[in-house]
Amino acid sequence: MKIYDLIVIGMGPAGMAASAMASAIGLNVLAIEENKVGGECLNCGCIPSKALLKTAQVNQISHNLEQFGIISNIFTDTKESLDIVRQKISRISGKKLMQAFERVELIINKGYAEFVDTHSVKVGVNVYKAKKIFIATGTRPFIPDIDGLNEIDKEFKLTNMNLFTQKNIPKNLTIIGGGAIGCEMAQGFARLGSNVNIIHIDNHLLPFADSDAADVLEERFKKENINVFNKTQIKRVYQKGNKVFVETDSHLFESDKILIATGRKPNLEELKLSKVGIKYNNKGIIVDKALRTNIKNIYAIGDCNGISNFSHSAMHQGMIALMNSINPLPFKIYHDKYLVPWSVFTSPEIASVGLTQEEALKKGLDVVIIKKDYASYGRAIVDGATEGFIKVITNKKGKIFGVTIVGENASEIIHEWVLAMQFKLSMFDILMTQHSFPTISMLNKMVSEDWMMGKLQKNPIIKKIAAKLFRI
């Protein structure tokens, strides 16, 4: 039997990163994917959702040209929107993508991989063996235990798995869950013509986010006639003909479709982990800081380990796991040494890294909160993008504990703060870094200026000394 250097199970972001890098350094790699290369992110997750959001944004702008002084009478028909999304994904997932894996032996769409022993897996009747194995099977939608939900016909019950295969934009859409997927799709479909209701059990949308950020997003949703029902319990769901009804403790919602966006669960069952003694729980496969399972030649990377359900984190873990698997020394690279930012691609965008204000105060940290509104900056005003703010959690010495950005290009300008925090730079370092004017990222420098001015205002001795030195 041929013995591979590495078997990678799952070809989503984590598996793609690991297999491409491993083959690039000359390792003999076998990659197994039960569906499509790219996993959910490329095929039915973060990439198609961004395609939909871009289409929705264009439609929104076309009907609001007056803000730019353009008078128009535009009619738009959005019935081809989802077809365009599918065309874009088909183009991305074509030959150009597969070129990265020319040196990887691929088993695609032949069934699930299951463990035979700690060095072997089986696909169908065929057994494959390797020195090391990376599990990168990702997650799938978590379906909550709601009375009647299982009885709803599949064509009326959407998740990200079948959302982008729909032929038409539903006239009425009820979304269960107000996390990232729920919020992005609420705005996307509303801008393409759907009447949207979000039913959410937590106190505010994006419960993992700064509450001020959620407030800005909810205010925008009100303007776009997206109805948000926070702190709302669902009693039951039922179907009558071609309509789905969601009964809560306060309302009855009638919809053409419902979208379930209530989180994720790891894809583990088919692997038969217990057969070889790999430990796991309901969050995912248990790994150490080097991303090894309790079986030291087997690593678990990406969403399947439950550490951080973001595609960029999965890619990063794939790289770290490969580096650790190559290194025979006991000194390994630990995944928790690297910050994980996140972004939600609504309008306005929301991005964050490190602690939120609520988390910092809960920890009892002595912090200074610096907040800069987009509306205070000329570029944001002329762009018509005055919603939002930058909020920095810092202290008197300028240590950065966390940053939340709400507004135009938040997902891009957050990375300056990730770099600063990763390499222990301070507010003073941001202040002394020249930013090209008038970019949106100039707001990063402006908020650091506010921090410095606040220090001077609160310390009259420094002000007096500075004035005297200037006058010498």
Side-chain angles (χ1 to χ4, degrees):
M1 177 186 292
K2 179 178 181 179
I3 300 177
Y4 296 90
D5 292 314
L6 177 65
I7 290 177
V8 178
I9 306 173
M11 283 291 280
M16 288 194 297
S19 58
M21 292 179 187
S23 65
I25 61 174
L27 297 182
N28 193 352
V29 181
L30 172 68
I32 303 166
E33 169 55 52
E34 61 90 16
N35 194 357
K36 296 179 180 179
V37 171
E40 284 202 30
C41 178
L42 173 58
N43 296 294
C44 55
C46 40
I47 299 300
S49 65
K50 303 309 161 289
L52 181 77
L53 287 170
K54 175 56 72 173
T55 299
Q57 179 189 41
V58 171
N59 193 50
Q60 172 82 355
I61 292 172
S62 72
H63 289 283
N64 291 275
L65 294 174
E66 293 83 1
Q67 64 178 311
F68 301 105
I70 301 171
I71 306 302
S72 66
N73 185 16
I74 294 176
F75 169 77
T76 58
D77 188 338
T78 62
K79 65 182 180 182
E80 302 295 329
S81 300
L82 289 168
D83 188 51
I84 292 296
V85 169
R86 289 188 286 271
Q87 289 178 34
K88 289 179 178 179
I89 299 309
S90 178
R91 190 168 70 187
I92 294 170
S93 59
K95 291 182 180 179
K96 188 173 183 180
L97 173 70
M98 299 308 295
Q99 285 175 357
F101 309 107
E102 288 178 344
R103 288 172 285 189
V104 178
E105 188 174 334
L106 295 169
I107 300 176
I108 307 297
N109 206 22
K110 300 294 184 181
Y112 295 102
E114 67 174 77
F115 277 93
V116 175
D117 56 47
T118 56
H119 287 275
S120 304
V121 299
K122 180 172 69 171
V123 180
V125 298
N126 298 313
V127 176
Y128 306 91
K129 191 168 187 176
K131 296 174 183 176
K132 294 178 181 176
I133 299 174
F134 284 9
I135 305 170
T137 49
T139 59
R140 63 178 180 269
F142 170 75
I143 307 300
D145 185 16
I146 297 174
D147 183 27
L149 187 57
N150 290 335
E151 282 70 54
I152 304 301
D153 293 344
K154 289 184 179 180
E155 63 180 299
F156 303 108
K157 182 171 58 178
L158 307 177
T159 69
N160 70 289
M161 300 291 286
N162 62 348
L163 177 63
F164 302 105
T165 64
Q166 301 300 302
K167 293 183 178 180
N168 301 308
I169 302 296
K171 182 178 180 181
N172 296 292
L173 177 66
T174 296
I175 299 177
I176 302 174
I181 295 173
C183 288
E184 289 182 357
M185 293 301 92
Q187 191 169 51
F189 278 92
R191 288 180 165 189
L192 292 172
S194 295
N195 299 311
V196 177
N197 295 306
I198 302 176
I199 304 172
H200 186 54
I201 197 170
D202 292 292
N203 292 334
H204 60 74
L205 295 177
L206 307 174
F208 49 84
D210 183 284
S211 60
D212 287 346
D215 289 344
V216 173
L217 183 61
E218 289 184 22
E219 190 60 34
R220 166 58 80 96
F221 279 8
K222 285 181 184 177
K223 293 177 182 177
E224 297 189 16
N225 296 316
I226 300 169
N227 302 309
V228 177
F229 298 86
N230 292 320
K231 296 185 286 188
T232 300
Q233 294 275 357
I234 297 175
K235 291 184 176 181
R236 64 175 181 139
V237 179
Y238 59 94
Q239 181 180 338
K240 285 186 178 181
N242 293 331
K243 300 293 181 181
V244 181
F245 296 83
V246 180
E247 183 181 340
T248 72
D249 47 15
S250 58
H251 293 79
L252 180 64
F253 300 91
E254 179 183 341
S255 304
D256 300 298
K257 302 284 176 76
I258 59 171
L259 170 62
I260 303 164
T262 51
R264 313 288 299 173
K265 63 179 294 185
N267 291 318
L268 304 181
E269 290 85 352
E270 294 82 5
L271 292 167
K272 303 293 193 296
L273 299 175
S274 299
K275 184 186 293 186
V276 292
I278 297 173
K279 294 181 179 179
Y280 64 95
N281 55 31
N282 61 349
K283 292 183 179 180
I285 298 172
I286 298 170
V287 295
D288 63 14
K289 292 184 179 182
L291 299 168
R292 296 171 297 193
T293 69
N294 58 302
I295 310 297
K296 296 308 177 187
N297 68 296
I298 301 176
Y299 292 70
I301 54 178
D303 292 7
C304 70
N305 62 32
I307 293 171
S308 180
N309 290 350
F310 299 109
S311 294
H312 50 278
S313 179
M315 297 174 203
H316 198 254
Q317 288 182 27
M319 177 181 67
I320 290 174
L322 180 62
M323 295 168 74
N324 285 335
S325 68
I326 293 168
N327 176 17
L329 300 175
F331 310 106
K332 302 295 185 180
I333 300 172
Y334 290 166
H335 73 85
D336 62 350
K337 298 295 183 183
Y338 299 91
L339 292 163
V340 181
W342 58 261
S343 301
V344 177
F345 296 89
T346 49
S347 177
E349 291 184 346
I350 301 176
S352 184
V353 64
L355 299 177
T356 64
Q357 181 177 346
E358 293 91 343
E359 290 168 340
L361 295 176
K362 190 175 182 179
K363 285 178 174 286
L365 298 176
D366 184 16
V367 296
V368 176
I369 311 298
I370 308 295
K371 188 176 179 183
K372 189 74 175 178
D373 290 333
Y374 268 60
S376 67
Y377 182 35
R379 172 62 187 275
I381 293 171
V382 299
D383 281 356
T386 56
E387 284 176 302
F389 58 81
I390 297 180
K391 181 191 284 189
V392 182
I393 316 302
T394 182
N395 63 12
K396 295 177 182 178
K397 294 182 179 179
K399 180 178 179 178
I400 305 166
F401 296 100
V403 179
T404 293
I405 305 177
V406 184
E408 187 95 341
N409 295 334
S411 63
E412 301 291 344
I413 65 175
I414 191 66
H415 295 106
E416 180 173 4
W417 298 101
V418 178
L419 192 67
M421 292 177 66
Q422 187 68 62
F423 292 98
K424 302 188 187 309
L425 303 180
S426 70
M427 294 293 283
F428 186 77
D429 294 309
I430 302 294
L431 172 69
M432 296 305 295
T433 300
Q434 291 195 44
H435 292 64
S436 180
F437 184 85
T439 58
I440 292 295
S441 64
M442 187 72 186
L443 280 161
N444 287 341
K445 179 175 172 61
M446 292 170 69
V447 75
S448 66
E449 291 170 351
D450 286 355
W451 167 80
M452 178 59 76
M453 294 301 292
K455 280 176 64 69
L456 294 175
Q457 293 295 328
K458 292 178 181 179
N459 196 325
I461 296 175
I462 294 178
K463 290 172 64 177
K464 289 179 180 179
I465 292 173
K468 286 182 178 180
L469 288 174
F470 181 82
R471 295 179 182 127
I472 293 176

